[in-house]
Structures are given as C-alpha cells and as structure tokens.
C-alpha cells in the first residue's frame, strides 16, 4: 500500500460512498442486489395496501390498525427469529422466509382481482408478513458481519442503506402511478415477481451455518441475549432512541389523508417516496461516515432532527414544503441508521448476533408499527396535521430525555470502546489464522 492510499480522501471523493465492501465480497454484492430487488417490490405493496384499505373503508383508524395487527407477530417472532438465526443456517432461513413472503403477496394479488375484494385478508396478510419479516431480518442482520470485514462495517451500512432507499424512492413513486392508472393488481403482481428473482440470487450465496458456540433456540437463549443487551447501555440507548423516534414521529399511516387535506392526491406517491429519497441522498454522500467515531452522539442528534423535520411537515400547508421536510426527515433517519448499524455490527459477538438482531428488529420495527396506531388515532381525534406535528415535537423531547439518562451512549467512541476493540482484535486474529 502506498502512502497516498493511507491519506484520507478529499473534496468530492470524500463524500462518495465507500465501495470497499462491494469490491471485497462477492456474497455482499449478491445479497445487496437481492435486497434491492426485493425491497423495490415490497415498497409497491407498502403503498398499495393502505391505499386499498382507504378505498374499502374510508377510515384513518382502519389504515392505522395495520400497525396493530403487525405488532404481536413482531414481538413474538422478532425475539424467536433472533434465536433461530444463531442456531440455524442463516442463508436457508432467509430463502424460506423470502419464498413465504412471495406467497403472501400472491394472496393479495388474488384478493385484489376479485370483483368485491375482502378487507380481512389484508389484515391477515399484514400479520403473517410481519411474522416472516421478523424471522428473516435477524438472519440478514447477523449475516452481514460474516461477509464484510470489520473495518468496512460503516461503509457496508451505508451501501445497504442506499440499496433500501433506492427501492424506497422508486417503489412508492412508481406505486402511486401504478395504483392510480393501472390498478392494485399490477402493484401486487410486480412485487410477486421481485420475490422470485430475489430467491434465485440468494441461492447463489455461500451457506452460513450456526457458530459452534451458539445456543439452541429457546426462552433461555433469548433471555441470554436480553441480559447481554441490558448490560450494554450504549446499545440500549440506540434501541431506545430509535423506538421513541419511530413511535412518536412516524406519519406514514396518515399520508393518504394528508394528501387529501392538502388537495394533492396526485402527490401521495411522492410523499411516500420523500422519506427514502432523503435517506438515499445521505447514502450517496456517505463517505464522511467512515471518519466519524462518536457514533452515539450522531444517533441522538439525527433522531432529534428527524423529529423537528416531521413537526415542520405537519405545520406547513404547502404540499411542496411537506415533501421537502419529509425528505429532510428521511436524511436524518438515514444518518441515525448508519451509526446504529455500525455500533451493532462492530461490537456484538458472533454467537449472540442473531439474538441481538432480534432485539434490534423490535427497536426499529415495533416503533413504526405502533406509531401507525398512534398517528391514526391522533388523526381521528384531533386532525391529520395535528397528529403529524405533535408527534414530531414529542420525539424531540423524548430523544433529549434519553440522551440525559444514557450517558454511555453519548460518550461511545468506536476507537476506544472495549467491545469494539475486542471484536476488532478477534477478527484480525481469525483472518491471520487463515493466511
């Protein structure tokens, strides 16, 4: 390596995403493309499902109830899915759950093509999809550290975020057009096709069997992971901050009604796309994240700014300003996500990674899920815009209180944190042993 290679990048190159994980790992590239394709289709359904419920019921509370039916599967299968990810081959677990998601999308397609679509299948599919997602996500999250070098974790988090946001921008924006002009069936059909392609790509990834230290899936194993998480107050802080931000300031359930109130039904797809667009813009300029070491402070700051941006989106009355503030909120959420992922992946032991990923799943999934119920309920009681801006302000207050109560989160430094140092040394030793 030359001296120039050791110098930090400057200018525009310093902002561009770090492609080191992409260049170093073929399995990373395959899993990345699989996720991109699957996420693109999932966002089509993400928009189509609440729109269909709105058409069938005309009720904000009914749309918000999607979060209620998704909550119990998240709570139950999120934790158990983490234990399964530690005890089973992660690749096989991902394949079977991806195929199951495809079957559920097929059920939505069949229902949408009926002369009189039923309401109850939408809730049943939402609940079962939540269960499969809860089993799959810990396996995915615990697989990344196995196929990416320790020092590439922040860069991998940024690239994964870009993959998600690329689908998140194109999917909702296209879904708004598809649903409006072609119908719900086309949205569900396209999602079904993406699951098939995704499974084919995952089949080409190397197997990832359980670590020999991993415990069998059981309540005892789940409790072991929970005790470890409780002992790590900086990790606990990332869970709590994200849970508060998503529960209090996630407005997605009321966006169809906000579009109506602003007399901008045409902008619904753009509203859904704005948050991932902001995330994508950050991920495209994420080179700076690899040079930040105090990850906990960035998690807190970006979560507070997310709340402020959501509050602003609820206050303004112009649809273009709403889209702007939703975009800003998405960028803040992405910054928080990158540094949360870096903290998790650089410090958690491999034999506990699945179970901790299950807890992480609850922190970033239960919040939005219950947040749909909160936003829908607030909208029914006090109005759509009040629901949005009040949630944003509550988020800012909650994040500030958590920062005061969890000082280890604010002082976390990946260069000196004992857990990060230990994992870095273990991975270097393992790499040296292979050479």
């Amino acid at each position: 390596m030359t001296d120039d290679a050791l110098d930090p990048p400057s200018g525009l190159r310093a902002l561009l995403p770090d492609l080191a994980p992409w260049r170093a790992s073929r399995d990373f590239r395959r899993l990345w493309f699989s996720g991109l394709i699957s996420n693109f289709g999932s966002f089509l359904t993400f928009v189509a499902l609440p729109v269909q419920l709105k058409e069938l019921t005309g009720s904000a509370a009914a749309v918000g109830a999607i979060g209620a039916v998704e909550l119990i599967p998240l709570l139950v299968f999120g934790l158990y899915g983490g234990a399964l990810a530690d005890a089973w081959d992660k690749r096989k677990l991902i394949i079977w759950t991806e195929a199951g998601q495809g079957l559920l999308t097929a059920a939505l397609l069949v229902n949408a093509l009926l002369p009189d679509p039923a309401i109850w299948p939408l809730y049943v599919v939402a609940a079962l999809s939540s269960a499969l997602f809860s089993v799959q996500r810990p396996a995915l999250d615990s697989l990344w550290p196995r196929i990416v070098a320790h020092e590439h974790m922040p860069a991998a988090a940024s690239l994964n975020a870009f993959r998600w946001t690329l689908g998140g921008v194109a999917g909702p924006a296209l879904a708004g057009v598809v649903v409006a002009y072609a119908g719900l069936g086309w949205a569900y059909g396209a999602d079904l096709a993406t699951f098939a392609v995704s499974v084919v790509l995952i089949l080409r990834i190397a197997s990832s069997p359980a670590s020999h230290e991993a415990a069998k899936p059981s309540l005892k194993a789940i409790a072991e992971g929970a005790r470890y998480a409780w002992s790590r107050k900086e990790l606990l802080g990332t869970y709590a901050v994200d849970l508060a931000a998503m529960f209090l300031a996630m407005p997605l359930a009321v966006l169809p009604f906000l579009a109506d109130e602003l007399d901008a039904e045409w902008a619904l797809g753009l509203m859904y796309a704005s948050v991932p667009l902001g995330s994508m813009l950050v991920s495209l300029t994420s080179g700076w994240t690899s040079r930040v070491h105090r990850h906990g402070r960035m998690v807190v700051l970006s979560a507070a700014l997310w709340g402020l941006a959501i509050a602003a989106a609820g206050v303004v009355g112009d649809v273009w300003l709403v889209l702007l503030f939703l975009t800003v909120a998405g960028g803040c959420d992405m910054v928080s996500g990158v540094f949360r992922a870096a903290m998790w992946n650089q410090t958690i032991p491999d034999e506990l990674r699945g179970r901790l990923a299950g807890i992480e799943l609850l922190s970033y999934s239960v919040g939005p899920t219950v947040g749909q119920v909160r936003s829908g309920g607030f909208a029914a009681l006090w109005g759509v815009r009040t629901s949005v801006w009040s949630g944003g302000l509550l988020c800012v207050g909650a994040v500030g209180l958590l920062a005061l109560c969890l000082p280890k989160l604010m002082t976390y430094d990946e260069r000196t944190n004992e857990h990060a140092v230990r994992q870095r040394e273990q991975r270097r030793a393992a790499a040296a042993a292979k050479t």
Side-chain angles (χ1 to χ4, degrees), residues 52 55-56 108-122 184 188:
Q52 188 175 19
E55 291 178 352
L56 294 174
L108 289 176
L109 174 60
V110 171
N111 182 63
L113 295 177
L114 295 175
D116 295 305
I119 295 174
W120 65 265
L122 305 184
L184 294 162
Y188 293 137

Side-chain angles (χ1 to χ4, degrees), residues 133 220 277 404 424:
F133 171 80
K220 180 180 179 181
L277 173 62
L404 292 175
R424 184 159 53 242

Side-chain angles (χ1 to χ4, degrees), residues 210-404:
S211 170
H212 67 278
E213 298 93 353
K216 299 295 182 182
S218 64
L219 291 177
K220 180 180 179 181
I222 294 172
E224 181 185 1
R227 284 194 297 270
Y228 178 83
W230 183 259
S231 71
R232 297 278 311 281
K233 300 308 182 194
E234 68 276 28
L235 287 184
L236 204 62
T238 66
Y239 305 148
V241 166
D242 189 51
L243 185 64
M246 296 298 102
F247 168 63
L248 294 170
M250 178 57 77
L252 297 184
V254 300
L255 289 185
F257 301 91
L258 182 60
D260 286 350
E261 190 168 304
L262 296 173
D263 194 26
E265 293 85 353
W266 56 269
L268 177 59
L270 295 177
M271 287 184 179
Y272 278 115
S274 292
V275 171
L277 173 62
S279 298
M280 184 175 71
L281 292 175
V282 168
S283 62
L284 282 172
T285 56
S286 60
W288 60 273
T289 60
S290 296
R291 299 185 294 279
V292 175
H293 305 291
R294 296 186 178 275
H295 299 163
R297 293 183 181 181
M298 293 302 296
V299 170
V300 170
L301 176 62
S302 54
L305 292 176
W306 151 272
L308 284 176
I310 292 296
V315 170
V316 299
D318 181 83
V319 65
W320 292 107
L321 287 177
V322 170
L323 293 173
L324 173 63
F325 285 119
L326 289 176
T327 302
V328 172
C332 295
D333 184 49
M334 174 55 59
V335 173
S336 175
V338 166
F339 289 109
R340 290 197 314 269
M343 288 177 67
W344 298 338
N345 291 332
Q346 287 185 326
T347 65
I348 297 173
D350 182 72
E351 65 272 13
L352 288 167
R353 192 68 192 84
R355 280 163 285 177
L356 270 293
I359 297 174
E360 293 156 20
L361 171 68
L362 297 185
S363 77
Y364 58 68
S365 297
V366 170
T369 301
V370 184
Q372 293 187 75
V373 180
R374 185 214 65 81
S375 62
F378 273 42
L381 291 173
W382 297 297
V384 173
R385 292 173 65 181
T386 300
S387 172
V388 177
W389 67 254
S390 64
L393 293 182
L394 288 170
C395 166
V396 175
V399 169
L401 183 61
L402 288 168
L404 292 175

